[in-house]
Amino acid sequence: MLAWGRTMLTMVTASAIFLRWIPEHGPLVLPLFAVSAAAAAAIYFTQRVRYRRGVRGITAGQLAPDIAAVLWTASSCVVLGALGLWVVLA
Amino acid sequence: MTVPANPPDPSPGPAPDPGPALDPDPVRRSRIAERLLPGGAEPDPRFTLANERTFLAWIRTSLALLAGGIAVEAFTSDVFLEPVRRGLSVLLLLLGMVLSAGAAVRWLRVEGSLRTNRPLPLPLIAPLLAAGCAVAAAVVIAVVVLA
């Protein structure tokens, strides 16, 4: 739960750093900011469900892995990196 | 001795609230989980959660590299020449991308090992991160010394 919260804060910080790029690269940076902010918002809005699921899983002694959350988090980082490369090399 | 007018009810009372109907079932596996993690049995939930925390730590490292790549490009125009700045930025961004993809692959491999009681795989992204950081540091040192 806290690990997800820390990751969300890191994404918010990264999105703020992306905004610092606007004077150099203009609106090309906005997709970077949008992806990062959307990922942070998705983590924030699923925290309650995630916590409840974890508590019930520990109580039941069985917890199915949250593979979708892992895959979309990693995918959003890969997309952020690809967009960053596009902005740098454009 | 007086008898209380309303003695406490010895019955256990109403059943506890099971929570909203939208509560996810913690045991039910998604279709994608059945496809990517076939076989085996669910491990101790503490191990699954620990694997998830490790994955998130790698993701935060990856985000730091991405932000670092952007910071190098945005803030060091008066320190590095354009090709060095661009090269460092590309190196850090590529490293961040590879680490985030590698973190997901490692999460899958560890989860698969936990499900089937096999030894945990070696963290291949750790030496990759070390090598990438060493190259970036070497470039910075070379540029500063040669300047």
Side-chain angles (χ1 to χ4, degrees), chain A residues 3-4 6-7 10-11 18 20-21 25 49 52-53 56-57 61-65 67 70-71 77-78 81-82 88, chain B residues 20 23-24 26-28 32 42 45 49 52 55-56 60 63 66 70 73-75 86 89 93-94 97 100 107:
Chain A
W4 280 102
R6 286 197 294 271
T7 306
T10 310
M11 288 216 171
F18 293 149
R20 176 61 182 76
W21 241 359
H25 298 287
V49 172
R52 197 183 291 272
R53 185 174 174 278
R56 293 186 67 177
Q62 268 192 320
L63 179 64
I67 197 162
V70 167
L71 289 183
C77 284
V78 172
V88 169
Chain B
D23 249 10
V27 180
R28 190 167 58 86
I32 189 167
E42 298 297 345
L49 291 171
E52 191 176 275
F55 162 77
L56 289 171
R60 287 195 295 276
L63 281 169
L66 294 179
I70 284 155
E73 228 276 329
F75 303 138
R86 184 168 288 196
S89 179
L93 289 169
L94 276 176
M97 285 174 69
S100 52
W107 180 88

Side-chain angles (χ1 to χ4, degrees), chain B:
Chain B
M1 183 178 166
T2 57
V3 177
N6 293 315
D9 185 5
S11 66
D17 181 11
L22 289 176
D23 249 10
D25 183 352
V27 180
R28 190 167 58 86
R29 303 179 71 210
S30 61
R31 193 176 300 172
I32 189 167
E34 284 175 2
R35 188 168 189 175
L36 293 177
L37 292 167
E42 298 297 345
D44 189 316
R46 290 170 295 181
F47 297 159
T48 299
L49 291 171
N51 189 23
E52 191 176 275
R53 285 196 297 274
T54 308
F55 162 77
L56 289 171
W58 279 111
I59 286 293
R60 287 195 295 276
T61 307
S62 157
L63 281 169
L65 288 168
L66 294 179
I70 284 155
V72 164
E73 228 276 329
F75 303 138
T76 61
S77 54
D78 51 347
V79 179
F80 298 127
L81 295 172
E82 169 69 20
V84 175
R85 197 157 48 100
R86 184 168 288 196
L88 271 177
S89 179
V90 167
L91 173 67
L92 291 173
L93 289 169
L94 276 176
L95 195 56
M97 285 174 69
V98 172
L99 269 193
S100 52
V105 172
R106 172 163 173 74
W107 180 88
L108 273 174
R109 294 178 68 202
V110 169
E111 198 66 29
S113 296
L114 289 173
R115 293 183 64 80
T116 52
N117 280 326
R118 280 181 290 136
L120 295 183
L122 285 174
L124 296 177
I125 46 179
L128 186 69
L129 173 65
C133 288
V135 169
V139 169
V140 171
I141 289 171
V143 167
V144 169
V145 168
L146 293 177

